Amino acid sequence: MSKTARVLIDCQDAKGLVYHISKVFYDRGLNIDNNREFVDKEKGKFFMRTVVTGEFDVVSLRNELISVVPRDAHIRVIEPRPKKIVLMATKESHCLGDILIRWAAGELEADIEAVISNHDNLRELTRRFDIPFLYISSGDIERREHERLVLDVLDGLTFDYIVLAKYMRILSADFVHRYPERIINIHHSFLPAFVGANPYKQAHARGVKIIGATAHFVTTDLDEGPIISQDVIPVNHRLEWKDMQRSGRDVEKIVLARALSLVLNDRVFVNDNKTIVF
Amino acid sequence: MSKTARVLIDCQDAKGLVYHISKVFYDRGLNIDNNREFVDKEKGKFFMRTVVTGEFDVVSLRNELISVVPRDAHIRVIEPRPKKIVLMATKESHCLGDILIRWAAGELEADIEAVISNHDNLRELTRRFDIPFLYISSGDIERREHERLVLDVLDGLTFDYIVLAKYMRILSADFVHRYPERIINIHHSFLPAFVGANPYKQAHARGVKIIGATAHFVTTDLDEGPIISQDVIPVNHRLEWKDMQRSGRDVEKIVLARALSLVLNDRVFVNDNKTIVF
Amino acid sequence: MSKTARVLIDCQDAKGLVYHISKVFYDRGLNIDNNREFVDKEKGKFFMRTVVTGEFDVVSLRNELISVVPRDAHIRVIEPRPKKIVLMATKESHCLGDILIRWAAGELEADIEAVISNHDNLRELTRRFDIPFLYISSGDIERREHERLVLDVLDGLTFDYIVLAKYMRILSADFVHRYPERIINIHHSFLPAFVGANPYKQAHARGVKIIGATAHFVTTDLDEGPIISQDVIPVNHRLEWKDMQRSGRDVEKIVLARALSLVLNDRVFVNDNKTIVF
Amino acid sequence: MSKTARVLIDCQDAKGLVYHISKVFYDRGLNIDNNREFVDKEKGKFFMRTVVTGEFDVVSLRNELISVVPRDAHIRVIEPRPKKIVLMATKESHCLGDILIRWAAGELEADIEAVISNHDNLRELTRRFDIPFLYISSGDIERREHERLVLDVLDGLTFDYIVLAKYMRILSADFVHRYPERIINIHHSFLPAFVGANPYKQAHARGVKIIGATAHFVTTDLDEGPIISQDVIPVNHRLEWKDMQRSGRDVEKIVLARALSLVLNDRVFVNDNKTIVF
């Protein structure tokens, strides 16, 4: 029975990789629906994402690919299915709401397992979509203790990605290390401009003529993780910082949604502190 | 001695094309520097652009590729060298000037053989760059006769592409048929909006909030040729049509320059009335 | 007691208008928070939007302004309050959902009186927000009859604007004439490119490199009403028309939301078939 | 005899400013062609740019305006005429060339008094336009000494603005203080991202998806002066930093040209470390 798989390979660059890999597909009679490669010459690294259709067994296809690529290769053979995500948010509703609406319309390639928040005010919005809302207050409690409570909840859930949909707390290195390349954040500035708190205030104070938003994987360096997607809008002297924040929300939600869609479609490779987006 | 070639293949789609083609490169010990493919599923057409380096003979490499791809295949093996172009213009200088400046800076991947104009006023600008300026007046003369004079001049020149840098006359079907996929035009609107004359006046009259420019290959259907590049800028009610024209000039020259660079780097396939841009 | 008003004046242009109008504000001791003017020289028309604060009576302020401007003047003195809107939709949920989310977040400067649809499938989404959903099927019924049913419903509602959030039926001239400058539509193309049905299919067929969306007031000329807002995104040969549609949805919803916010903040004048946006 | 003036006023905000100022114009029978105001509420500052036509004497109009505005007011009554500029550059030709082309086309609202460079390689380009090229080598000489030589040259010229068209040396505080709000620079990044040297290398290393350029007035804080104009373009993982630099050049030259046009049209107010652009 014919089926489809996304084959993602990244490894040390070597001569003949495209040939050897496409030979595997050819010998098995698989069709290549879509194929993209990239070589990072500086680092000598090879990246390839191929969508194949035909009859195959995932394990044996993967094993055959392993036999033709360098030993350090990271190979994924993924049959498309909705991924599972957990959303984390704080008080602002625009990113969360946008994801919920996409989910309700059947346009999100994911199931939402839960919404976790350190405030209670997004409960009603989440409830409208019959998604579990887990309120873990960060008040009157130490940072470490709060994070432990969040981790306890996450331990009880099954998911592929954590999406920080305007979760306004910094995650500890311990937390981040548990989910490598699995936490996606939206930062409300055009990084690396305006790292840290209150980027709209910073942008207003600096008098920039353009503001933006950045979706990135979370690493232990604050606002320094691999960037997945960015976008910008023009502003001018008439906007106070609150106006910039208001306008910026639309950019934030669209940029986060684009990044999420790319990740859910297995289109993003992490290449040290950068991404390859196919 | 190691050298580089851009291999461009377009043909009917078939199973195993990537495998067969990459096998040719592999068997000859060529490195793939860069590789991009696209399958137009609707039309069942395959497009591939590969940059290879190594030791090879162009003719025998091409012959070997011919032996592994469908019979209808169009194969080009191109060793990068500056192409030759002829510029045609009328009165406006911004596109012509921009190309001249790039050429003078050594940033244009082409030699400019001549500037042909139906008006005399761009002579001084062209002369500043020591490029031949050929004035073929279109006054007091029939369209057909004028075009014949232009063709006579072109017949005496050797060139790869004709670039219409704001040449404001419509070319006849006879003219266009002599240079298939070799004439690039810049149209001063975001096509297909505002086809024909005075697009800025049309845009102003319609009250659009964005204007643009379109670079395309010239076919016999006016403003209907395959689009290579487009870009836009915001406008508002305060701009009169002359202001739109002034602002639009910057978009026109940048869009034409981008399209030209893509074509000169052999990055553009024509796919009926569309382009594939790698 | 100090309050705020938005004063909107449009009239035949005349010498001294700014002086005469600002004198009225000055004599009454009103503060000008914000002031913007525009003169359409071609048509000899003057537009002014001023936000004033202070103590005033709306009627007498308006009367005083009437006494200093040309007779044809259209003067509005508006105390900011949430407007009332009715949403009309068909099957697609992205624009409707986006407006509902903004409303739920308290970020829409309007109350939503009802959602009217000619299909039933948006009922559940609307219900999530406790907004009345009025299903008026267009099946097995003449166009004229369906519209009469919609008008009957509208007659029972009180509202300032009708927002066509992807309402895919053409409104008759009779319908449109009842709500002059009060119906806002989102068209899924960068007008005037791709007027009419299936603009994404048209855009794909034409091979454009940029697609867009247009929010406009509805007039009796299909897709020809005054444009309020437009935006675009880049596309390329890899996108099939369904992909363009998917990407385009984000542009549509943001452009509609921007236009709606401008209208709800009384920032838009209609100037024949164009808008002045302050 | 009727003439035109741009009246620029900035002062402490006060009630009735628009009234008092427009009364001056009205009493003198002047037409207001264009009028824009802005109040910076945070700082309590008022900015106004009015284009008036009619019969007037500059000095007496200015005196009359002085009598109706706060004492701290800065008032300029400017009759439009080409300003005079001096260009400074180093090795890159794209910004210089773009300005020269605009000048040659009669589209620059300025006369170019001279091009000053610390390298000799732009001499030929400048000579093509018959503009004086002044080469002041920075080799084998102390920074302070080089700057003194430049200042000596500038002292012999008459000009309104210095345009740093990719002048790659940092100006001393002494230099900057001599020309307050009169030096315009183009920085090859989207400030405040990538301050300092080699912004394209920084952008490449960070893996951003968008790069940009910033035109700003030069102050003694490096890359911190008031921003006049910014723009951006998308990039992706395939671009090496040299490719980013190449693409970025088009943004740089367009942003600098826009900023220059705004300044030459007296559309820019400096408001501490920000600009008001009308």
Side-chain angles (χ1 to χ4, degrees):
Chain A
M1 203 194 60
S2 181
K3 57 186 183 179
T4 293
R6 299 168 188 157
V7 179
L8 281 79
I9 302 173
D10 61 276
C11 60
Q12 198 182 320
D13 192 25
K15 214 179 237 189
L17 280 172
V18 174
Y19 163 64
H20 288 301
I21 294 166
S22 62
K23 184 172 190 309
V24 169
F25 300 142
Y26 182 69
D27 288 347
R28 288 180 161 256
L30 301 181
N31 268 314
I32 293 180
D33 267 21
N34 196 298
N35 185 39
R36 305 193 73 182
E37 311 125 34
F38 175 68
V39 176
D40 181 336
K41 285 176 196 163
E42 220 177 0
K43 297 179 185 158
K45 291 185 69 177
F46 173 86
F47 300 86
M48 184 168 181
R49 180 187 186 273
T50 312
V51 179
V52 295
T53 55
E55 291 180 38
F56 61 89
D57 168 72
V58 166
V59 174
S60 63
L61 176 58
R62 197 169 171 277
N63 284 338
E64 205 162 330
L65 288 166
I66 286 173
S67 73
V68 304
V69 295
R71 259 195 226 162
D72 75 318
H74 181 211
I75 300 180
R76 285 169 285 173
V77 179
I78 302 165
E79 290 181 83
R81 58 159 182 80
K83 305 240 192 313
K84 291 180 189 305
I85 62 176
V86 171
L87 302 173
M88 292 179 68
T90 293
K91 282 182 172 174
E92 287 182 285
S93 65
H94 56 290
C95 287
L96 175 62
D98 193 57
I99 294 171
L100 290 171
I101 283 285
R102 288 171 200 269
W103 172 82
E107 284 167 10
L108 193 76
E109 302 89 343
D111 299 321
I112 302 170
E113 297 302 296
V115 174
I116 298 174
S117 179
N118 59 322
H119 280 79
D120 202 33
N121 69 311
L122 297 170
R123 182 187 297 277
E124 192 191 338
L125 176 63
T126 307
R127 188 199 52 77
R128 291 184 190 277
F129 293 85
D130 308 312
I131 303 281
F133 180 85
L134 306 169
Y135 167 43
I136 305 174
S137 172
S138 53
D140 297 329
I141 191 176
E142 276 195 42
R143 173 173 301 272
R144 182 178 305 247
E145 174 63 8
H146 179 257
E147 211 170 67
R148 208 191 48 72
L149 293 174
V150 173
L151 285 171
D152 284 352
V153 166
L154 289 172
D155 281 347
L157 298 169
T158 305
F159 58 88
D160 298 287
Y161 294 99
I162 296 171
V163 180
L164 306 183
K166 301 292 284 180
Y167 183 67
M168 303 310 281
R169 293 173 68 83
I170 295 166
L171 299 174
S172 73
D174 278 359
F175 191 111
V176 171
H177 282 139
R178 292 174 70 133
Y179 308 105
E181 302 182 15
R182 290 176 58 197
I183 311 176
I184 299 162
N185 184 44
I186 179 73
H187 182 79
H188 40 315
S189 90
F190 178 74
L191 287 175
F194 311 126
V195 169
N198 277 325
Y200 291 118
K201 270 193 187 168
Q202 291 183 56
H204 183 262
R206 180 63 187 90
V208 291
K209 302 301 187 189
I210 289 176
I211 57 172
T214 305
H216 62 97
F217 285 112
V218 175
T219 59
T220 50
D221 294 321
L222 180 64
D223 299 337
E224 289 291 330
I227 293 170
I228 306 166
S229 187
Q230 299 188 293
D231 208 347
V232 296
I233 47 168
V235 292
N236 60 48
H237 61 267
R238 292 202 313 272
L239 280 79
E240 304 196 15
W241 80 263
K242 286 275 188 187
D243 303 316
M244 290 189 179
Q245 185 184 47
R246 201 171 301 119
S247 300
R249 280 188 194 124
D250 282 352
V251 188
E252 293 171 24
K253 76 185 190 188
I254 297 298
V255 167
L256 178 57
R258 269 185 214 152
L260 188 53
S261 175
L262 291 167
V263 169
L264 294 173
N265 282 285
D266 304 304
R267 293 183 171 282
V268 184
F269 286 88
V270 172
N271 181 20
D272 290 347
N273 69 327
K274 301 194 213 178
T275 62
I276 315 293
V277 178
F278 283 139
Chain B
M1 201 194 62
S2 181
K3 56 187 181 178
T4 292
R6 299 168 187 156
V7 179
L8 281 79
I9 301 174
D10 63 275
C11 60
Q12 199 182 319
D13 192 25
K15 215 180 237 188
L17 280 172
V18 173
Y19 162 65
H20 288 302
I21 294 166
S22 61
K23 183 172 191 308
V24 169
F25 299 143
Y26 182 70
D27 288 347
R28 287 179 163 258
L30 302 182
N31 268 314
I32 294 179
D33 266 21
N34 196 297
N35 186 40
R36 304 193 74 181
E37 312 123 35
F38 174 68
V39 176
D40 181 335
K41 284 175 198 164
E42 221 175 2
K43 298 180 184 156
K45 291 184 71 178
F46 172 88
F47 301 86
M48 185 169 178
R49 178 186 187 274
T50 312
V51 179
V52 294
T53 55
E55 290 180 40
F56 60 91
D57 168 72
V58 166
V59 174
S60 62
L61 175 59
R62 196 168 170 278
N63 284 339
E64 205 163 332
L65 288 166
I66 286 173
S67 73
V68 303
V69 295
R71 259 194 227 163
D72 75 318
H74 181 212
I75 300 180
R76 286 168 284 172
V77 179
I78 303 165
E79 291 181 83
R81 56 157 186 80
K83 306 244 192 309
K84 290 179 189 304
I85 62 175
V86 171
L87 302 174
M88 291 178 68
T90 293
K91 283 182 172 173
E92 286 181 284
S93 64
H94 55 290
C95 287
L96 175 63
D98 193 58
I99 293 172
L100 291 171
I101 282 285
R102 289 171 199 269
W103 171 82
E107 285 168 10
L108 193 76
E109 302 90 341
D111 299 322
I112 302 170
E113 297 303 295
V115 174
I116 299 175
S117 180
N118 59 322
H119 280 78
D120 202 32
N121 68 309
L122 297 171
R123 181 187 296 278
E124 192 191 338
L125 176 63
T126 307
R127 187 199 52 75
R128 292 185 190 277
F129 292 86
D130 308 311
I131 303 280
F133 180 85
L134 307 169
Y135 167 44
I136 305 175
S137 172
S138 54
D140 297 330
I141 190 176
E142 274 193 43
R143 173 173 300 273
R144 182 178 306 245
E145 175 63 9
H146 179 256
E147 211 170 68
R148 208 190 48 72
L149 293 174
V150 173
L151 285 171
D152 284 352
V153 166
L154 289 172
D155 281 347
L157 297 169
T158 305
F159 58 89
D160 298 286
Y161 294 99
I162 297 172
V163 180
L164 305 183
K166 302 291 287 181
Y167 184 68
M168 304 310 280
R169 293 173 68 84
I170 295 166
L171 301 173
S172 73
D174 278 359
F175 191 110
V176 172
H177 283 140
R178 291 174 70 135
Y179 308 104
E181 301 182 14
R182 290 176 57 197
I183 312 177
I184 299 161
N185 185 44
I186 180 72
H187 183 78
H188 39 316
S189 89
F190 178 74
L191 288 175
F194 311 125
V195 168
N198 276 325
Y200 292 117
K201 271 194 187 167
Q202 291 183 57
H204 183 260
R206 181 62 188 88
V208 292
K209 302 301 186 187
I210 290 177
I211 58 173
T214 305
H216 62 97
F217 285 113
V218 175
T219 59
T220 50
D221 294 321
L222 179 64
D223 298 337
E224 289 292 329
I227 293 170
I228 306 166
S229 187
Q230 298 187 294
D231 208 346
V232 296
I233 48 167
V235 293
N236 59 48
H237 61 267
R238 292 201 314 270
L239 279 79
E240 305 197 13
W241 80 263
K242 285 275 188 187
D243 303 316
M244 290 189 181
Q245 186 184 47
R246 201 171 301 120
S247 301
R249 279 185 195 126
D250 282 351
V251 188
E252 292 172 25
K253 75 184 189 190
I254 297 298
V255 167
L256 179 57
R258 270 184 214 155
L260 188 52
S261 175
L262 290 168
V263 169
L264 294 173
N265 282 285
D266 304 304
R267 295 183 171 281
V268 184
F269 286 89
V270 172
N271 181 20
D272 291 347
N273 70 326
K274 302 194 213 177
T275 62
I276 315 293
V277 178
F278 283 139
Chain C
M1 203 192 60
S2 181
K3 57 188 181 177
T4 293
R6 299 168 187 156
V7 179
L8 281 79
I9 301 174
D10 62 275
C11 59
Q12 201 182 320
D13 191 26
K15 213 179 237 185
L17 279 172
V18 174
Y19 162 65
H20 288 302
I21 293 166
S22 62
K23 183 172 191 307
V24 169
F25 299 143
Y26 181 69
D27 288 347
R28 287 180 163 258
L30 301 182
N31 268 314
I32 293 179
D33 266 21
N34 196 297
N35 185 40
R36 304 193 73 181
E37 312 124 34
F38 174 68
V39 176
D40 182 335
K41 285 176 197 162
E42 221 175 1
K43 298 179 185 158
K45 289 184 71 179
F46 173 87
F47 301 85
M48 183 168 180
R49 181 188 186 271
T50 312
V51 179
V52 294
T53 54
E55 290 179 39
F56 61 89
D57 169 73
V58 167
V59 174
S60 63
L61 175 59
R62 195 166 173 279
N63 284 338
E64 205 163 330
L65 289 166
I66 286 173
S67 73
V68 303
V69 295
R71 262 196 223 160
D72 75 318
H74 181 212
I75 300 179
R76 286 169 284 172
V77 179
I78 302 164
E79 290 181 82
R81 57 158 184 82
K83 305 241 192 313
K84 291 178 190 305
I85 62 176
V86 171
L87 302 174
M88 292 179 68
T90 293
K91 281 182 172 174
E92 286 181 284
S93 65
H94 55 291
C95 287
L96 175 63
D98 193 58
I99 294 172
L100 291 171
I101 282 286
R102 288 171 199 269
W103 172 83
E107 285 167 10
L108 193 76
E109 302 90 342
D111 300 320
I112 302 171
E113 297 302 297
V115 174
I116 299 175
S117 179
N118 59 322
H119 280 78
D120 203 32
N121 69 310
L122 297 171
R123 182 187 296 280
E124 193 191 337
L125 176 62
T126 307
R127 187 199 52 74
R128 291 186 191 276
F129 292 86
D130 310 310
I131 302 281
F133 180 84
L134 306 169
Y135 167 44
I136 305 174
S137 172
S138 54
D140 297 330
I141 190 177
E142 276 194 42
R143 171 173 299 273
R144 183 177 306 246
E145 175 62 9
H146 179 257
E147 211 169 69
R148 208 190 49 72
L149 293 174
V150 172
L151 285 172
D152 283 352
V153 166
L154 289 172
D155 280 348
L157 298 169
T158 304
F159 58 88
D160 297 287
Y161 294 99
I162 297 172
V163 181
L164 305 183
K166 302 291 284 181
Y167 183 68
M168 303 309 281
R169 294 173 68 83
I170 294 166
L171 300 173
S172 73
D174 278 0
F175 191 110
V176 171
H177 282 140
R178 291 174 69 135
Y179 308 105
E181 301 182 12
R182 289 176 56 195
I183 311 176
I184 300 162
N185 184 45
I186 179 74
H187 183 78
H188 39 316
S189 90
F190 177 75
L191 287 175
F194 311 126
V195 168
N198 275 326
Y200 292 117
K201 271 193 186 167
Q202 292 183 56
H204 183 260
R206 181 62 189 88
V208 292
K209 303 299 187 190
I210 290 176
I211 58 172
T214 305
H216 62 97
F217 285 112
V218 175
T219 59
T220 50
D221 295 322
L222 180 63
D223 299 338
E224 289 290 331
I227 292 171
I228 306 166
S229 187
Q230 299 188 293
D231 209 348
V232 296
I233 47 168
V235 293
N236 59 48
H237 61 268
R238 292 202 313 273
L239 280 80
E240 305 196 14
W241 80 264
K242 285 276 188 187
D243 303 316
M244 290 189 181
Q245 186 184 48
R246 201 170 301 120
S247 300
R249 280 188 194 123
D250 282 352
V251 188
E252 292 171 24
K253 76 185 190 190
I254 298 297
V255 167
L256 179 57
R258 269 184 214 154
L260 187 53
S261 175
L262 290 168
V263 169
L264 294 173
N265 282 287
D266 304 304
R267 294 184 171 280
V268 184
F269 285 88
V270 172
N271 180 21
D272 290 347
N273 70 326
K274 301 195 213 176
T275 61
I276 315 293
V277 178
F278 283 139
Chain D
M1 202 192 63
S2 180
K3 56 187 182 178
T4 293
R6 299 167 188 157
V7 179
L8 281 78
I9 302 173
D10 62 274
C11 59
Q12 198 183 324
D13 191 25
K15 214 180 239 188
L17 281 171
V18 174
Y19 162 65
H20 288 302
I21 294 165
S22 61
K23 185 172 191 306
V24 169
F25 299 143
Y26 181 71
D27 288 348
R28 288 179 162 259
L30 301 181
N31 267 313
I32 293 179
D33 267 21
N34 196 299
N35 186 39
R36 303 193 75 181
E37 311 124 34
F38 174 68
V39 176
D40 182 335
K41 284 176 198 165
E42 221 176 0
K43 297 180 185 158
K45 290 183 70 177
F46 173 88
F47 301 86
M48 186 169 180
R49 179 187 187 273
T50 312
V51 179
V52 295
T53 55
E55 290 180 40
F56 60 90
D57 169 72
V58 166
V59 174
S60 63
L61 175 58
R62 196 168 171 280
N63 284 338
E64 204 162 332
L65 288 166
I66 287 172
S67 73
V68 303
V69 295
R71 260 195 224 165
D72 75 318
H74 181 210
I75 299 180
R76 285 169 285 172
V77 179
I78 303 165
E79 290 181 83
R81 57 158 185 82
K83 305 246 192 306
K84 291 179 189 305
I85 62 175
V86 171
L87 301 174
M88 291 179 69
T90 293
K91 282 182 173 174
E92 287 181 284
S93 64
H94 56 290
C95 286
L96 175 63
D98 193 58
I99 294 172
L100 291 171
I101 283 286
R102 288 170 198 268
W103 172 82
E107 285 168 9
L108 193 75
E109 301 91 341
D111 300 321
I112 303 172
E113 297 303 296
V115 174
I116 300 174
S117 179
N118 57 322
H119 281 78
D120 202 32
N121 68 312
L122 297 171
R123 180 187 297 278
E124 192 191 340
L125 176 63
T126 307
R127 186 200 52 76
R128 291 186 191 277
F129 292 86
D130 309 311
I131 302 280
F133 179 84
L134 306 169
Y135 167 43
I136 306 175
S137 173
S138 53
D140 297 329
I141 189 176
E142 276 194 42
R143 171 173 301 273
R144 183 178 304 246
E145 174 64 8
H146 179 256
E147 210 170 69
R148 207 189 49 72
L149 294 174
V150 173
L151 285 171
D152 283 351
V153 166
L154 289 172
D155 280 347
L157 298 168
T158 306
F159 58 88
D160 297 287
Y161 294 99
I162 297 171
V163 180
L164 305 183
K166 302 290 286 178
Y167 183 68
M168 303 310 281
R169 294 173 67 83
I170 294 167
L171 300 174
S172 72
D174 277 359
F175 191 111
V176 172
H177 282 140
R178 292 173 70 133
Y179 307 105
E181 301 181 15
R182 290 175 59 195
I183 311 176
I184 299 163
N185 184 44
I186 180 72
H187 183 79
H188 39 316
S189 90
F190 178 74
L191 288 175
F194 311 126
V195 168
N198 275 327
Y200 291 118
K201 270 194 187 167
Q202 292 183 56
H204 183 262
R206 181 61 187 90
V208 291
K209 302 301 186 188
I210 290 176
I211 57 173
T214 304
H216 62 96
F217 285 112
V218 175
T219 59
T220 49
D221 294 320
L222 179 65
D223 298 338
E224 290 290 330
I227 293 170
I228 305 166
S229 187
Q230 299 188 294
D231 208 349
V232 295
I233 48 167
V235 292
N236 60 49
H237 60 266
R238 293 202 312 273
L239 281 77
E240 304 195 15
W241 80 263
K242 285 275 188 188
D243 303 315
M244 290 189 181
Q245 185 185 48
R246 200 171 301 119
S247 301
R249 279 186 195 126
D250 282 352
V251 188
E252 292 171 25
K253 77 185 188 189
I254 298 298
V255 167
L256 178 58
R258 269 185 215 152
L260 188 52
S261 175
L262 290 168
V263 169
L264 293 174
N265 281 285
D266 304 304
R267 293 184 172 281
V268 184
F269 285 89
V270 172
N271 180 19
D272 291 346
N273 70 325
K274 301 195 213 177
T275 61
I276 314 292
V277 178
F278 283 137

